[in-house]
Amino acid sequence: MAGLMSRFTTLFKVKANTMLDKAEDPGQTLDYSYQQQLEMLQKVKRGVADVATSKKRLELQATKLEQSVTKLDGQARQALAQNREDLARVALERKKGVQLQLQSLDEQKVQLQGEQDKL
């Protein structure tokens, strides 16, 4: 009985597969595949544009932070010239914090470059 059921199942699968092959239009399948490729290409392009935008934004932030480092360094020097070591210390502490932010931005740039290379 199990052998008969197995043969019936196999026969049904063969007939169903044959009917699906006849119903399938290769042109439609090709058009569908082409449409999927176009959609994936658009997603990749959008991803590349997003990464480029993010990189530019990081570069602008880095420029501002570098200017801030220069400004804080100048303030520290000026405070030392006025014998205000307390103010110089505060300026140098802020400068250190800004430099840490710059380091973080550099790491983010490397990550974005990796993503862009993947795309």
Side-chain angles (χ1 to χ4, degrees), residues 20-87:
L20 287 175
D21 284 344
K22 288 180 182 177
E24 184 179 23
D25 181 12
Q28 286 178 337
T29 304
L30 186 60
D31 287 345
Y32 178 75
S33 296
Y34 180 71
Q35 186 65 32
Q36 293 295 321
Q37 290 291 326
L38 287 177
E39 288 175 12
M40 287 193 304
L41 180 61
Q42 284 178 329
K43 288 179 182 178
V44 169
K45 286 181 179 180
R46 193 173 312 121
V48 169
D50 289 345
V51 168
T53 302
S54 295
K55 280 176 62 177
K56 188 64 176 177
R57 191 173 298 128
L58 286 176
E59 289 172 6
L60 291 173
Q61 286 178 341
T63 301
K64 287 181 181 180
L65 289 174
E66 288 168 356
Q67 290 171 351
S68 181
V69 165
T70 304
K71 179 181 175 182
L72 288 168
D73 191 48
Q75 288 176 351
R77 291 178 193 275
Q78 189 176 26
L80 282 176
Q82 296 174 358
N83 292 326
R84 294 292 310 264
E85 290 182 21
D86 57 331
L87 292 178

Side-chain angles (χ1 to χ4, degrees), residues 6-23:
S6 173
R7 289 179 64 197
F8 181 72
T9 303
T10 303
L11 180 63
F12 179 76
K13 288 180 182 177
V14 168
K15 295 291 183 180
N17 194 32
T18 302
M19 289 174 57
L20 287 175
D21 284 344
K22 288 180 182 177

Side-chain angles (χ1 to χ4, degrees), residues 88-117:
R89 188 174 295 117
V90 170
L92 291 175
E93 288 174 1
R94 287 183 183 169
K95 177 183 169 185
K96 184 177 180 180
V98 171
Q99 287 173 328
L100 289 174
Q101 288 177 340
L102 274 170
Q103 250 180 358
S104 174
L105 288 180
D106 287 340
E107 291 170 5
Q108 290 177 21
K109 284 182 195 177
V110 169
Q111 289 175 346
L112 283 176
Q113 185 62 45
E115 286 184 34
Q116 188 173 14
D117 293 343

